[in-house]
Amino acid sequence: MAADSETRTVGVVGAGAMGRGIAQVAATGGCRVILYDARAEATADAIEFIGGMLDRAVKKERMTAEDAGAAKGRLEAARDMADFAGADVVIEAVSEDMELKSKVFAALEETTRPDCILASNTSSLSITRLAAACDRPERVAGFHFFNPVPLMPLVEVIAGIRTEPEVIDRLVDLGKVMGRTPVRVADAPGFLVNQVGRGYTLEATNLVDEGVSTFADVDAIMRDAAGFRMGPFELLDLTALDVTHPATVEIYEQSYHEPRFRPAMLMGQRMQAGLLGRKTKQGHYAYVEGKQQRPEEPSAPEFDGGTFWVEPGNDAPALKEIVTSSGAELDGGEKPGAESVILIAPLGLDATTHAARAGLDATRTVAVDPLFGFEGRRTIMKTIVTSNEALRKAHAMLACDGTPVTPIQDSPGFVAQRIVAMICAIGASVAQNRIATPDDVDRAVKLGLNYPNGPLEFADTLGVSRIVRILDGMAECSGDPRHRVGPWLRRRAALGVSATTQESPARG
């Protein structure tokens, strides 16, 4: 299994999208690949498909014709699992069903060498539980690729409780040979990437369920303000609810009902209604000939002037600059004048609570999300009694320079604050529980989910103490333990150190 060896043999069980992708990157990495599916025609179709993908890569000058031909020559179709007798590693890539996977592993134990590694491509099932049914659990590990495999550079290498360290080392080496970036992960519900991903999609779904915002507005905020390539509901439509929701339920059950992974009721209801996403042409958006039908964003109100008072704080200078640049009158008094629209920039708290504690007139108060600054897209939030006129004036003034503005209902943490803070909280929990190193947490999330930053990088970029403040405000208002701050973030905020700071060993 040395990186320069040309004789390693990799078996792949399952010729679906994941199995054929794994077979392709193994073959292009120099491995002899034996591909097996219970349906012989599926195996043949997969090998033909891989050949077509390699030919396409040649046409696009991503590889030479000679290399493509060599990779094709390394692909073999297995008649049955007995053909895995000489394999060094066999990767199972069948459906996410524990009973089915257990049957596959039982059959592999009968046909493979004792030193052959048995790896599962599962995205959410327990490696420890899968290995427990095997005669030699020490050779069983997780080898979780992401779809589409040839384009996604990450592979999670997962150690069950009884997995031998050497097995993980060999799979890390194999991952590199296959052109992937391997990260070492301890067995845990959802492993690393799928844990963190729940912070993005679950919190977004919950805030829509609470009536805070809409699918399209949440997506726009997360793209334009927070810098994500896809909004959470665009992503859910791509992955399909009948994949995402059952995986969430599995992670929640495996974690003994950890509140951060509690399934969203709205997600389950929409799955039951058949609104699965792109594949059913109807999800959070409609799809016509594969094209998303995104609702047109309403025009901002016409700006006709006004007087605005900005609450003192770190974000006040930037807000005051926006007010003066718009041509509006800036109220410079210590307290807001009787006719002034009041602008606040809370972290974590809802607009109503913040206004009440500050002694401000809630009927004239409008909150503006400061977390990502005020470029790209601005989110404004009313108190439960903010007048329509105050909200209209604030919206018009903030939008008059051409920056899009999204109004939402009152909520602790707005939209971007809530979602990003949950990503940070779950990522920090992964590090706290030693599921992966801080560096690997960030690396895996960026490679596996295409987030602009990893969870701990987000905390460092935005300020660890600010993330803690947001989570504390959310927890206070909601009373929901899913919003709690874990020790990893709270300790690093208290000391003013990076979220990636690791503890030294208790014993030297």
Side-chain angles (χ1 to χ4, degrees), residues 231-369:
F233 299 109
E234 293 173 307
L235 178 62
L236 285 169
D237 277 359
L238 180 65
T239 57
L241 288 190
D242 60 340
V243 174
T244 302
H245 181 67
T248 300
V249 173
E250 182 70 31
I251 292 169
Y252 183 60
E253 295 295 337
Q254 285 186 42
S255 65
Y256 297 102
H257 295 187
E258 161 57 55
R260 292 189 181 109
F261 305 134
R262 186 171 61 244
M265 185 182 300
L266 180 60
M267 194 183 294
Q269 290 174 330
R270 293 182 69 84
M271 184 192 75
Q272 292 165 359
L275 302 173
L276 306 183
R278 285 181 177 271
K279 70 181 184 181
T280 57
K281 300 182 180 180
Q282 184 69 50
H284 301 93
Y285 302 91
Y287 295 87
V288 178
E289 296 181 353
K291 186 176 181 180
Q292 181 193 91
Q293 305 302 295
R294 188 182 300 171
E296 186 174 347
E297 185 167 356
S299 299
E302 184 177 350
F303 179 55
D304 54 6
T307 303
F308 296 83
W309 181 85
V310 178
E311 184 182 36
N314 293 336
D315 300 293
L319 274 178
K320 288 180 178 179
E321 176 62 28
I322 294 172
V323 172
T324 57
S325 296
S326 73
E329 183 178 345
L330 180 65
D331 180 348
E334 287 188 16
K335 295 183 178 180
E339 302 299 321
S340 298
V341 175
I342 300 166
L343 299 180
I344 61 175
L347 288 172
L349 290 180
D350 57 286
T352 299
T353 301
H354 185 103
R357 289 180 179 177
L360 301 172
D361 181 354
T363 64
R364 294 184 285 134
T365 298
V366 177
V368 189
D369 188 355

